[in-house]
Amino acid sequence: MEKVKRNIDAAMLRMKADLVLKNANFINVFTASIDRGDIAIVGDTIVGIGEYKGEEEIDCTDLYVTPGFIDAHVHIESSMIMPEQFARVVIKKGVTTVIADPHEIANVEGTNGIEFMLKNSEPAPIDIFFMLPSCVPATQVEDSACVLNAEDLVKLINNNRVLGLGEVMNVPAVINADENILKKIDIARYKHIDGHCPIITQRELNAYLSCGVRTDHESTNVKDATLKVSRGMYIMLREGSAARNLKDILPAVNNHNFGRFLFCTDDRHIDDLLEVGSIDNCIRISIKQGLNPIKAYIMASFNAAQCYDLKDRGAIAPGYKADLVLFEDLKGLNIKKIIKNGKEYTELQSKKYLNLKINSSMHMDFVNSEIFKVQSGTENINVIKLIPNSLETKLVQRKVENELGYIKKTIEKDILKVAVFERHHNTGKHFVGFIEGLGLKHCAIAQTIAHDSHNIIVVGDNDKDMEVAVNTLVSTGGGIAMVSEGKVIAQLNLPIAGIMTFESPYMVAENLKRLNRMARSFGVRDEYDPFISLSFMALPVIPEVKITTRGLFHYKKFAFIELMSNNEKNINLKE
């Protein structure tokens, strides 16, 4: 009651506001215009627009002011740092709220992983909300450490920072009315349900949306995005480190539907966050591509707030949360100050870290190079072909030479072995396949970041380097390892579930840049982030073909396919 009275008194000029942004040119999300006036703030709330005096004042004559940015869908684990540290990076990029899906750590640590993310994010300088992972594992054809059922999720659904159910990736389970997925959807029926439907027919989309799904971040073309918007979905323009669909679907945004579009980063490495940005990067790219700047700022704030029913933020108006970005250059977005909860953010604010004891998540035996030999009875094999700047792949057939019952080499030059090893329960499950397009030579890369089950995935052009790379991760407890001529040439340790670290963001970023430079020196092409691209080769819910511990998985068929191919009509050596 006292707080409300102070707000009213300040709005009526019976007392000074705590903070006033004087002469501000601010984005009005309701009229899609730039208005001018003082912005009066009491506590964490905007109380008035007009002419005001404050105990503290900031002259904004030469600045623009916009609502704080909202990342509508992000996996914090992909930054490789903890939530509290992640927040201190993105707030400087103007991001004041994120909606995070912790399904990466949940696949390894279950509900304990989710609770870790909730606790570590409590002292964060931004608001971190969570969506409960709906698909752990992503499908029943994977081998994750944990399985989360509706009974597990119901214990967390009423947490005030849980907004609903995270991306429902198992589309076939939904349209076939699988009881387990329907139970999970049911517990979130009064909250929000995120979608994940990259390739879907109109009839399947109708069934999918009838369950209450309202968002999608997997559109890759204008036609797909337009259809989904016409069916009532919110579409996220994604600009991650590997998946960059923003430019492809931006032309779908127009004056009639732009309220249904928002921005997200999904999976973004820490070096990209520090050097290129987060949602601020999405805004700059959109404006450069021709989007009206005001629309870009509205999509980055108000649209996301409306989508997730965060009614207290996303706008500059009385009664709204004082999360604001002060910046120069409407098109270039040169950020000068961040106001969070009514106060200017500074790095001098205290840092709080949880004192955590982490057990190793690595449970598998060492491997021998013999395990990478592939038996063959045919001259043709199915190969995963990478697509630049995309998480999607293509299935192609290639010729091989055989020797003594094993594949000796492939005819094509840019084809490598790729293998996945189950690391959570020491089952010994593994599969060796082939991948085309990465460009890596005289080297092997292994990592425990392999969405979403996060088993070990390794790629290389010789069996010995692949052996050493995998065994290095078994010894260190997880992370990334690069090996050449049988020696470890670079590595990054990730002791938290094999996907995150306690190290500072800047140290992790420097290590990643060093690893990237090393990968480039061994031939990895510029159009691929070697580590993110590799991490998604094990995710079977993204088209067209992926590799798991159980074999090659075809998304459209939603079934495993043989490595060996006898269909010569499908072979296209020039592709």
Side-chain angles (χ1 to χ4, degrees):
M1 185 73 73
E2 181 61 30
K3 178 182 178 180
V4 174
K5 183 178 183 302
R6 288 183 71 240
N7 291 351
I8 294 171
D9 287 343
M12 294 299 296
L13 300 178
R14 291 193 286 262
M15 60 172 278
K16 284 185 178 181
D18 294 337
L19 173 65
V20 173
L21 307 183
K22 299 290 292 184
N23 308 310
N25 299 294
F26 65 92
I27 307 296
N28 190 321
V29 302
F30 305 112
T31 61
S33 62
I34 298 176
D35 292 351
R36 188 174 177 85
D38 299 342
I39 302 172
I41 300 167
V42 173
D44 63 357
T45 305
I46 298 169
V47 299
I49 306 292
E51 294 185 12
Y52 286 92
K53 293 185 179 298
E55 297 293 344
E56 180 185 353
E57 296 181 353
I58 298 176
D59 184 10
C60 296
T61 301
D62 298 321
L63 299 176
Y64 293 95
V65 184
T66 189
F69 308 141
I70 300 174
D71 192 336
H73 176 73
V74 61
H75 302 291
I76 293 174
E77 303 98 307
S78 291
S79 70
M80 303 184 190
I81 57 176
M82 294 184 292
E84 201 270 350
Q85 292 176 310
F86 171 87
R88 296 187 182 280
V89 171
V90 298
I91 191 171
K92 289 184 283 188
K93 308 299 180 179
V95 177
T96 55
T97 300
V98 302
I99 293 92
D101 183 339
H103 74 211
E104 312 298 353
I105 198 167
N107 270 276
V108 183
E109 300 290 347
T111 55
N112 288 337
I114 300 173
E115 289 172 353
F116 161 75
M117 300 295 278
L118 281 163
K119 290 178 181 177
N120 186 260
S121 60
E122 285 177 0
I126 68 172
D127 295 319
I128 301 180
F129 294 99
F130 290 91
M131 306 295 288
L132 294 182
S134 64
C135 299
V136 175
T139 70
Q140 297 305 310
V141 302
E142 289 192 87
D143 294 287
S144 62
C146 299
V147 175
L148 293 185
N149 296 311
E151 293 75 16
D152 301 305
L153 301 182
V154 75
K155 301 171 185 176
L156 296 167
I157 193 67
N158 291 320
N159 186 295
N160 60 8
R161 288 200 292 133
V162 170
L163 300 183
L165 192 66
E167 53 183 314
V168 181
M169 297 181 286
N170 196 342
V171 177
V174 175
I175 63 178
N176 290 310
D178 177 83
E179 184 177 351
N180 289 329
I181 194 66
L182 294 186
K183 283 182 179 179
K184 294 175 184 177
I185 289 172
D186 185 61
I187 69 169
R189 63 189 180 279
Y190 299 119
K191 289 200 170 187
H192 189 89
I193 303 174
D194 275 340
H196 174 118
C197 48
I199 294 179
I200 191 167
T201 67
Q202 290 197 35
R203 184 173 295 175
E204 290 170 342
L205 182 62
N206 290 335
Y208 192 62
L209 298 184
S210 71
C211 299
V213 175
R214 286 295 173 263
T215 67
D216 184 55
H217 58 276
E218 292 292 342
S219 289
T220 57
N221 59 71
V222 170
K223 183 179 179 181
D224 182 68
T226 302
L227 171 65
K228 290 171 181 174
V229 166
S230 74
R231 296 294 186 268
M233 297 190 87
Y234 282 94
I235 297 299
M236 300 180 191
L237 288 80
R238 172 176 59 186
E239 195 69 11
S241 287
R244 300 174 181 176
N245 310 121
L246 191 155
K247 291 180 181 179
D248 293 330
I249 62 176
L250 187 63
V253 180
N254 59 48
N255 290 334
H256 301 291
N257 67 14
F258 86 92
R260 307 299 292 186
F261 288 89
L262 37 152
F263 295 119
C264 81
T265 60
D266 198 6
D267 296 280
R268 200 152 174 82
H269 271 177
I270 184 59
D271 51 342
D272 283 336
L273 288 172
L274 287 170
E275 296 181 6
V276 183
S278 175
I279 301 302
D280 57 320
N281 179 52
C282 296
I283 295 170
R284 294 188 191 97
I285 292 174
S286 298
I287 294 173
K288 190 173 182 179
Q289 292 295 116
L291 182 67
N292 179 289
I294 296 173
K295 286 185 173 66
Y297 291 109
I298 293 173
M299 289 163 58
S301 55
F302 186 68
N303 286 5
Q306 291 296 296
C307 173
Y308 285 95
D309 294 320
L310 299 173
K311 303 299 186 183
D312 64 339
R313 69 198 67 205
I316 299 176
Y320 281 81
K321 196 174 183 66
D323 290 353
L324 306 167
V325 181
L326 284 57
F327 66 100
E328 296 175 332
D329 187 356
L330 192 65
K331 295 182 178 180
L333 181 55
N334 179 22
I335 296 174
K336 306 303 290 184
K337 295 179 184 291
I338 306 296
I339 306 297
K340 181 70 182 85
N341 294 328
K343 297 180 180 179
E344 182 178 350
Y345 173 75
T346 69
E347 287 199 80
L348 296 178
Q349 294 173 1
S350 62
K351 297 182 180 181
K352 301 177 182 178
Y353 300 104
L354 292 179
N355 183 17
L356 298 167
K357 182 180 180 181
I358 299 296
N359 297 319
S360 174
S361 62
M362 193 69 65
H363 304 288
M364 65 173 284
D365 296 329
F366 292 119
V367 302
N368 185 281
S369 60
E370 293 291 313
I371 205 169
F372 295 103
K373 287 186 175 181
V374 179
Q375 289 185 329
S376 177
T378 177
E379 293 182 350
N380 310 310
I381 60 170
N382 286 317
V383 174
I384 302 168
K385 184 175 181 179
L386 292 170
I387 298 175
N389 300 315
S390 175
L391 302 184
E392 295 188 6
T393 59
K394 189 173 184 179
L395 175 64
V396 295
Q397 286 78 41
R398 299 295 187 238
K399 283 186 175 296
V400 295
E401 290 184 10
N402 300 312
E403 185 177 81
L404 300 177
Y406 293 95
I407 292 177
K408 179 182 179 182
K409 65 177 182 178
T410 59
I411 302 299
E412 295 288 315
K413 293 182 179 180
D414 193 14
I415 295 179
L416 305 165
K417 284 184 179 178
V418 60
V420 180
F421 293 85
E422 194 278 321
R423 71 172 177 99
H424 305 297
H425 302 292
N426 203 19
T427 61
K429 287 184 181 178
H430 68 280
F431 189 81
V432 182
F434 294 84
I435 189 168
E436 178 179 317
L438 189 62
L440 186 71
K441 298 176 182 177
H442 311 301
C443 184
I445 300 173
Q447 57 188 50
T448 45
I449 307 168
H451 301 287
D452 282 334
S453 293
H454 297 291
N455 290 301
I456 289 182
I457 187 165
V458 58
V459 64
D461 67 347
N462 71 88
D463 297 348
K464 186 60 181 179
D465 283 352
M466 294 175 76
E467 171 201 300
V468 175
V470 170
N471 289 339
T472 298
L473 297 182
V474 175
S475 297
T476 60
I480 301 172
M482 292 183 65
V483 174
S484 180
E485 297 181 352
K487 297 179 180 179
V488 178
I489 56 175
Q491 66 185 102
L492 172 64
N493 293 332
L494 299 172
I496 305 174
I499 57 176
M500 299 167 71
T501 178
F502 296 102
E503 299 289 350
S504 74
Y506 299 97
M507 184 173 292
V508 178
E510 284 302 312
N511 279 334
L512 270 177
K513 285 191 288 185
R514 180 173 57 86
L515 285 165
N516 261 294
R517 288 194 300 268
M518 191 78 72
R520 304 292 175 209
S521 72
F522 281 92
V524 172
R525 295 176 176 173
D526 291 339
E527 56 263 40
Y528 302 114
D529 180 305
F531 311 110
I532 288 189
S533 295
L534 185 59
S535 72
F536 280 98
M537 290 307 103
L539 183 55
V541 292
I542 293 181
E544 176 181 28
V545 62
K546 295 294 192 291
I547 182 172
T548 77
T549 59
R550 305 183 191 187
L552 288 180
F553 191 83
H554 196 284
Y555 175 83
K556 193 170 182 178
K557 296 178 180 179
F558 219 75
F560 287 101
I561 60 174
E562 295 292 332
L563 177 64
M564 305 304 159
S565 173
N566 293 311
N567 186 0
E568 294 197 27
K569 292 182 180 180
N570 290 335
I571 297 175
N572 184 349
L573 297 177
K574 296 181 181 179
E575 198 163 30

